[in-house]
Amino acid sequence: MPGLALGALCLAYATGAATGWGSRQLSIFMGDFGLAAAALAAALSCLVYGCTVGGHTRPAWLLFGLSSLMVAFGNGTWGWYELVVRTPLPRDSLAEYAFLLFAPLAITGVLVLAQRPRSAAGWLCLLLDGWLIAGSLFTLSWSLALGRIAAGEDGSPLRLALNLGYPVLDILLVSLVVGLRFGGRDGNRAAVHTAMLALAVTVLCDALFTSPQLRSSYHSGELLDAGWFSGSLLLAWAPWSPRRRRPLREHPSAGGLPRRRVATTFSALTPYAAAAVCTAGILYNALGGRALDRVVAAAACTVGLALILRQGVMLLDNLSLAQELAHKEAHFRSLVQGSSDVIMIAGANGVLSYVSPAALGVYGRDPEELVGGNLLDLVHPEDVDRVLSEVRRYLARVRLTAHRVPGTAEPSARVECRISSGGGEWLHVESTVSRHRDGLLLNSRDVTERVMLQAQLQHNAFHDPLTDLPNRALFTQRLRGALGARGQQGGTGPAAGAGIAVLFLDLDGFKAVNDSAGHQVGDELLVQAARRLQGAVRSGDTVARFGGDEFAALVCGPLGRLQVQELAERLRVALSAPYWIGGAELSVAASIGIAFGTPERGPAADPRTAADELMRNADLAMYRAKSEGKGRVVLYTPAMRADLERRTELEERLRLAVREGGFTLLHQPVVDLATGAVTGVQAQPRWCSAGGLLLTPAEFLRSAEHGDAATRFSRWLVREAVLAAVDRRGLTGRGRGAPEPVPVAVRLSAERLCSPGLYETVAAALRDSGLPAGELVIEVARTGPDSLADELGRRLAALRRLGVGVWLAGYGAGGGSLGALARLPLDGLKLDRTLVQDLGESSLARTLAGHALRLGHDLGMATAAEGVDLPRQVAALQQLDCGQAQGSAFAPPLDEPRLRRALARRGYPLPKPLGSFAARHAHPAPDTRTSGRPDAAPGRVVRHHGGSDLPERRAATGPGGGPHGETVIPPA
């Protein structure tokens, strides 16, 4: 739009000038002040642009603005004389000097915009071209007009200089404009071209004005002024013209440097055109019958000499270019011939016109034999259609890109196919395809090794590296595919439900083989087991190894549940058969869990969710088989899922109770059977139920026995027991009635003692609280499996070195107690309540308990008994020389206030020894230590419900009782 407005304004001015503007006065006004306004607009535009926009072109635009300002001043002065003073413009006025200053300022601006040559030869060529143009124009101008002007000015040298200064400066300006047209900077090419066009129009009008015929008849407002007016408006528009940023032209091998400029046809012919102009000036003089002017002769000679020098420079430059071209051609030829990639050029019909020598090493084919043949004859028949499709798609993209964005680089395409080699093999080849004239340029390389490596990596990603069986990822993928296919078929009924079955298999006893025979033998056993599994299933079934000694089988097809169970039994028998490895016979068993796909899911079921659930169900069944004795096959039932969810819920409740303080500690006194003194207390945790009852956490501990919640609970129990002991110790010495410090015992299982961080928790609790290590006793509730024996011994030895006492609790219940006495560093042993509860009635129980206590004495250990609930049990233990006892015969587990009162009493009264008949039939004496109530019935546990007692539910008898016995736990 601005360009159209500018053209319309220039056309309107030209129309007005051609018609004379309608009046003499308006014509003079438009010829003087109209030109002054246009020149002033150009001056303001260039000056504003130069002041607001920086860069290397800023001085040039400022100079153009000043030159236009001189023109505006000259035209304004001319109009002042003609319209205001109404006199002709006087000779040697300020207007003439202002017009004269236009050219030097414009020339300086043009020189600022010009791109400087990079070498001495470039400077020489620039000077020669400039003189060729300037000298030729000067010769022609002198022959046409300047000679007569110089001859007519005899009186005043200043007038002669002024008359000759206009055309000479215009000639110099035109010479620079012509040279700059082909040397302008890429970044401001549009603005420079517009400015050069404006200057060229102005100089052309100046040249016409210099002609004596036009100058003698010129008056303001005529058509010549339209040229000056258009030149000023073009210069005003030049700095704001839209710019097109061209990409930097770089040579492919120049390393990012601009490539060497190649002369265009016009720039190459410019010196010869200048010489032709000079010749025209000489012929004009000769044909017109005029004498040869010395000025013309001198100028023509210098132009001829400059042309000869310019031709010599061009010849030398051409030789340099030829050498450089030959060097680069040899360089690129060596690159192509030495490249390991095969470079081929194919025509539009697919016929090869060039094949690089690398084809002999890559394809095993002679390049000369391939030239002239069709490219598609080399491609594998199965890949021909795909290659043609890729090439057509690439050519369509090239045409679309060239149509939308002209001048942009053409894209390339990558095509992979198989090429026939000279040895008859098919090579995997990757080719980069680009357009070359009317055909295609292909840069191909052999990627056979890469393709094979990718295939191997993909195989390794979905297969077990030891047995080469599918791994969990591939097994899951196939299971989801089978479930998805069944869902699409929409099968229902029992047969459809049994059509997919997942079997999880675990080798029982494999760890023992690894530990005894070594991992290499274990790996060989796994390989043989994998082969047995593959041989036992059908060809369409999938056998996978998940890791370690865990395998899985996917059974699909028309098999019922009974047939799948029979298959599982065959797998179990096959895996349980002896293995002969390295001349030795090894044996393992197999636990197998089976889960069937549920038929009621239908086609809308998500295969991903269904596969995950089916695998979890099979895993649950497999672990149920291991827990039921191993070496068996178990089918999944919904009860297994309910049991797992219940254990998970209980574990979460345990974790929440530990975090939010849902547990509290009670302490049961341990009494010396010789003196009745309280020699210690045992910390017993209780769960604070929602109903306000304190219940034992046995069910929680069993549900989370191997989880993180039980470990957190054990750490909490140690810390709380130590802190409570420190609080009681702080009351010592405050006067009469203050409790004496006694050791506190914490009972932990072997698994918890061997868990990471338990020893650190004990050491940190003692260190942070300041409790003496001798006042903490760790009771081992269960010695655990034999695999933990060595680690348990190290942990207990570390605790003893710390000063902590170590006791074996629950002695006489379960197995492994005698072995524990031999292996573990113990300070004492405590009889289990199962040995104590029948001491008053059974002579066998007295014998067993007596031998157990005597064994402890012989080993130098302290002895104690738990679950002592009746006075006759106390008397029996005294007769068996038991050192300490705890139970309801003395006190139940007490909260902190009751415990402190019990410790302040210093001890409990001991019952008198009774005969055997009395011990069995006499009623126990009323116990008045708490509530003063007698027992409700003989042989029953005394219940204490004083004012400060806390309610507690406990099993009266059986192995589940005691401080950690099983308790019915209401829902939270």
Side-chain angles (χ1 to χ4, degrees):
M1 291 301 294
L4 293 177
L6 181 66
L9 187 60
C10 294
L11 182 61
Y13 190 94
T15 303
T19 57
W21 296 104
S23 66
R24 176 67 178 173
Q25 289 299 108
L26 181 59
S27 176
I28 295 175
F29 179 84
M30 294 302 296
D32 294 335
F33 291 109
L35 291 182
L40 183 61
L44 293 177
S45 175
C46 294
L47 290 174
V48 170
Y49 183 83
C51 293
T52 57
V53 180
H56 63 277
T57 60
R58 178 179 182 179
W61 295 111
L62 293 177
L63 290 170
F64 289 155
L66 293 177
S67 66
S68 297
L69 192 60
M70 294 297 102
V71 174
F73 179 77
N75 285 315
T77 303
W78 199 321
W80 172 266
Y81 280 104
E82 287 190 337
L83 290 178
V84 179
V85 182
R86 297 185 181 277
T87 60
L89 183 69
R91 298 172 64 89
D92 300 334
S93 66
L94 293 178
E96 293 187 0
Y97 293 103
F99 288 139
L100 186 64
L101 288 177
F102 162 77
L105 292 174
I107 290 172
T108 307
V110 169
L111 290 175
V112 171
L113 286 178
Q115 186 175 6
R116 295 174 178 82
R118 299 187 180 93
S119 62
W123 281 104
L124 180 59
C125 289
L126 178 63
L127 294 176
L128 291 175
D129 291 343
W131 174 244
L132 282 172
I133 298 172
S136 300
L137 293 176
F138 178 78
T139 301
L140 181 61
S141 300
W142 188 272
S143 299
L144 295 175
L146 295 183
R148 283 176 285 176
I149 294 175
E153 298 293 342
D154 297 332
S156 173
L158 179 60
R159 171 54 51 188
L160 176 62
L162 287 175
N163 290 335
L164 294 179
Y166 289 120
V168 170
L169 290 175
D170 286 341
I171 290 172
L172 181 59
L173 182 59
V174 168
S175 302
L176 293 177
V177 167
V178 173
L180 184 64
R181 169 63 184 81
F182 306 102
R185 297 172 186 253
D186 294 337
N188 59 343
R189 184 176 293 272
V192 169
H193 287 176
T194 306
M196 296 305 104
L197 179 62
L199 294 177
V201 171
T202 303
V203 170
L204 178 61
C205 294
D206 288 344
L208 294 175
F209 179 75
T210 306
S211 174
Q213 294 82 359
L214 291 178
R215 186 170 186 177
S216 59
S217 61
Y218 171 80
H219 62 83
S220 298
E222 66 179 27
L223 191 60
L224 186 61
D225 291 345
W228 282 314
F229 183 83
S230 300
S232 297
L233 290 186
L234 282 175
L235 189 60
W237 166 247
W240 311 102
S241 59
R243 296 187 178 190
R244 292 184 179 180
R245 192 71 180 179
R246 295 188 178 184
L248 181 64
R249 298 177 297 176
E250 296 182 356
H251 196 277
S253 63
L257 299 176
R259 69 181 183 183
R260 182 172 180 172
R261 290 180 175 270
V262 180
T264 62
T265 302
F266 186 82
S267 62
L269 295 178
T270 298
Y272 303 101
V277 171
C278 180
T279 304
I282 297 174
L283 290 176
Y284 179 81
N285 281 335
L287 296 177
R290 299 180 182 86
L292 182 62
D293 196 314
R294 291 176 297 177
V295 176
V296 174
C301 291
T302 55
V303 169
L305 182 61
L307 181 61
I308 295 173
L309 291 177
R310 182 69 176 83
Q311 187 68 23
V313 172
M314 289 186 64
L315 289 175
L316 293 177
D317 190 46
N318 289 337
L319 290 176
S320 175
L321 285 175
Q323 294 176 355
E324 183 178 355
L325 181 61
H327 174 72
K328 290 184 177 180
E329 182 180 358
H331 173 70
F332 284 107
R333 184 179 298 276
S334 63
L335 287 178
V336 171
Q337 294 180 351
S339 173
S340 59
D341 296 346
V342 180
I343 300 175
M344 299 183 292
I345 299 177
N349 56 356
V351 177
L352 296 173
S353 60
Y354 174 80
V355 179
S356 67
L360 183 61
V362 177
Y363 297 157
R365 290 175 174 266
D366 189 356
E368 297 181 357
E369 297 179 358
L370 295 177
V371 173
N374 197 296
L375 174 63
L376 296 179
D377 294 340
L378 304 176
V379 181
H380 194 283
E382 297 178 358
D383 298 341
V384 171
D385 293 338
R386 181 169 53 84
V387 171
L388 289 176
S389 176
E390 291 289 340
V391 171
R392 293 192 186 101
R393 188 181 298 110
Y394 161 69
L395 293 177
R397 188 168 71 251
V398 169
R399 288 191 294 268
L400 183 62
T401 304
H403 175 71
R404 289 185 176 180
V405 188
T408 58
E410 292 184 355
S412 60
R414 290 185 180 272
V415 180
E416 290 192 14
C417 62
R418 287 168 288 179
I419 297 292
S420 175
S421 66
E425 301 175 351
W426 292 103
L427 303 177
H428 292 269
V429 175
E430 180 186 66
S431 301
T432 301
V433 183
S434 56
R435 196 168 63 171
H436 176 74
R437 297 179 182 175
D438 295 333
L440 296 174
L441 177 65
L442 297 94
N443 191 337
S444 307
R445 65 181 57 186
D446 183 10
V447 294
T448 304
E449 294 184 359
R450 190 193 72 185
V451 171
M452 295 176 62
L453 179 60
Q454 288 177 346
Q456 183 63 38
L457 290 176
Q458 186 174 9
H459 179 84
N460 293 342
F462 290 99
H463 288 80
D464 176 58
L466 177 63
T467 62
D468 203 37
L469 292 177
N471 58 9
R472 181 186 292 270
L474 183 56
F475 183 87
T476 305
Q477 180 179 340
R478 292 183 179 179
L479 176 58
R480 290 172 180 171
L483 291 171
R486 188 192 63 173
Q488 292 176 1
Q489 294 173 0
T492 57
I500 297 177
V502 174
L503 287 71
F504 270 35
L505 307 93
D506 186 85
L507 299 182
D508 303 323
F510 176 74
K511 186 177 184 305
V513 173
N514 253 349
D515 295 340
S516 60
H519 290 279
Q520 185 174 359
V521 175
D523 291 345
E524 180 62 27
L525 189 148
L526 291 175
V527 173
Q528 292 189 20
R531 299 298 172 263
R532 294 182 183 185
L533 289 174
Q534 286 180 315
V537 299
R538 302 172 305 168
S539 59
D541 298 334
T542 299
V543 175
R545 179 180 178 233
F546 284 2
D549 58 349
E550 293 186 359
F551 295 86
L554 173 61
V555 180
C556 301
L559 286 180
R561 293 176 179 264
L562 182 59
Q563 285 132 343
V564 173
Q565 294 181 40
E566 292 175 353
L567 174 61
E569 187 63 28
R570 289 200 305 270
L571 294 177
R572 187 192 67 79
V573 173
L575 292 176
S576 301
Y579 296 83
W580 290 92
I581 302 175
E585 180 182 355
L586 302 173
S587 297
V588 294
S591 297
I592 303 177
I594 306 175
F596 294 98
T598 54
E600 61 273 6
R601 286 192 169 272
D606 181 17
R608 182 182 300 272
T609 305
D612 295 342
E613 182 177 353
L614 194 57
M615 293 173 64
R616 286 197 300 268
N617 294 343
D619 195 30
L620 281 176
M622 186 264 290
Y623 277 103
R624 177 61 62 90
K626 294 180 72 68
S627 64
E628 290 181 356
K630 304 180 180 179
R632 62 188 64 203
V633 178
V634 172
L635 272 67
Y636 168 79
T637 60
M640 298 179 186
R641 173 68 56 186
D643 184 56
L644 175 63
E645 293 175 354
R646 177 176 175 273
R647 291 198 306 268
T648 304
E649 180 185 0
L650 290 176
E651 182 177 355
E652 182 61 29
R653 291 173 63 185
L654 175 61
R655 184 181 294 107
L656 184 65
V658 172
R659 184 172 63 249
E660 298 183 356
F663 286 106
T664 187
L665 275 186
L666 301 182
H667 293 80
Q668 188 172 33
V670 180
V671 180
D672 190 326
L673 293 179
T675 63
V678 178
T679 59
V681 293
Q682 183 189 45
Q684 298 181 10
R686 293 294 185 269
W687 174 57
C688 302
S689 69
L693 299 178
L694 296 182
L695 307 176
T696 60
E699 187 172 354
F700 280 106
L701 293 177
R702 282 199 303 274
S703 65
E705 186 171 357
H706 300 287
D708 181 63
T711 302
R712 292 174 180 267
F713 177 76
S714 300
R715 295 175 182 173
W716 173 87
L717 179 59
V718 170
R719 287 192 292 265
E720 290 297 319
V722 170
L723 291 177
V726 170
D727 291 341
R728 291 191 298 272
R729 185 178 179 83
L731 298 175
T732 305
R734 295 187 179 180
R736 297 188 61 184
E740 291 292 335
V742 292
V744 59
V746 177
R747 181 170 298 186
L748 301 172
S749 65
E751 290 82 356
R752 300 285 71 77
L753 283 170
C754 294
S755 62
L758 197 282
Y759 171 80
E760 290 76 6
T761 300
V762 174
L766 294 175
R767 180 181 63 253
D768 297 341
S769 64
L771 181 71
E775 295 188 12
L776 176 64
V777 177
I778 298 297
E779 295 183 355
V780 184
R782 293 187 308 275
T783 57
D786 293 338
S787 58
L788 288 178
D790 295 338
E791 180 64 20
L792 179 60
R794 287 191 292 268
R795 295 296 181 98
L796 295 181
L799 290 173
R800 291 190 68 188
R801 287 193 298 270
L802 198 64
V804 176
V806 178
W807 281 58
L808 177 62
Y811 184 76
S817 296
L818 289 177
L821 294 178
R823 293 192 305 265
L824 303 179
L826 301 171
D827 296 318
L829 61 85
K830 183 179 291 187
L831 296 182
D832 189 72
R833 63 184 303 108
T834 57
L835 287 180
V836 176
Q837 62 184 358
D838 295 331
L839 281 180
E841 292 84 5
S842 172
S843 59
L844 177 60
R846 291 176 58 89
T847 302
L848 292 176
H851 283 294
L853 294 173
R854 192 158 46 250
L855 179 60
H857 294 154
D858 294 341
L859 294 177
M861 299 181 186
T863 58
E866 63 179 347
V868 183
D869 299 331
L870 303 174
R872 57 177 174 269
Q873 295 170 348
V874 177
L877 290 173
Q878 288 176 328
Q879 293 176 3
L880 295 175
D881 198 17
C882 181
Q884 303 170 12
Q886 68 180 81
S888 298
F890 304 104
L894 306 175
D895 60 353
E896 195 62 29
R898 294 174 58 197
L899 177 63
R900 291 179 180 178
R901 289 198 298 271
L903 293 178
R905 288 199 298 267
R906 302 290 194 270
Y908 289 93
L910 297 176
K912 296 180 180 180
L914 300 174
S916 59
F917 182 83
R920 295 180 183 180
H921 302 285
H923 292 276
D927 191 346
T928 59
R929 291 173 293 179
T930 55
S931 62
R933 299 180 182 179
D935 290 345
R940 300 294 301 271
V941 178
V942 179
R943 301 280 184 177
H944 302 280
H945 296 285
S948 60
D949 291 353
L950 295 176
E952 178 185 20
R953 296 182 181 180
R954 301 171 57 250
T957 59
H964 296 287
E966 183 176 1
T967 305
V968 179
I969 299 180

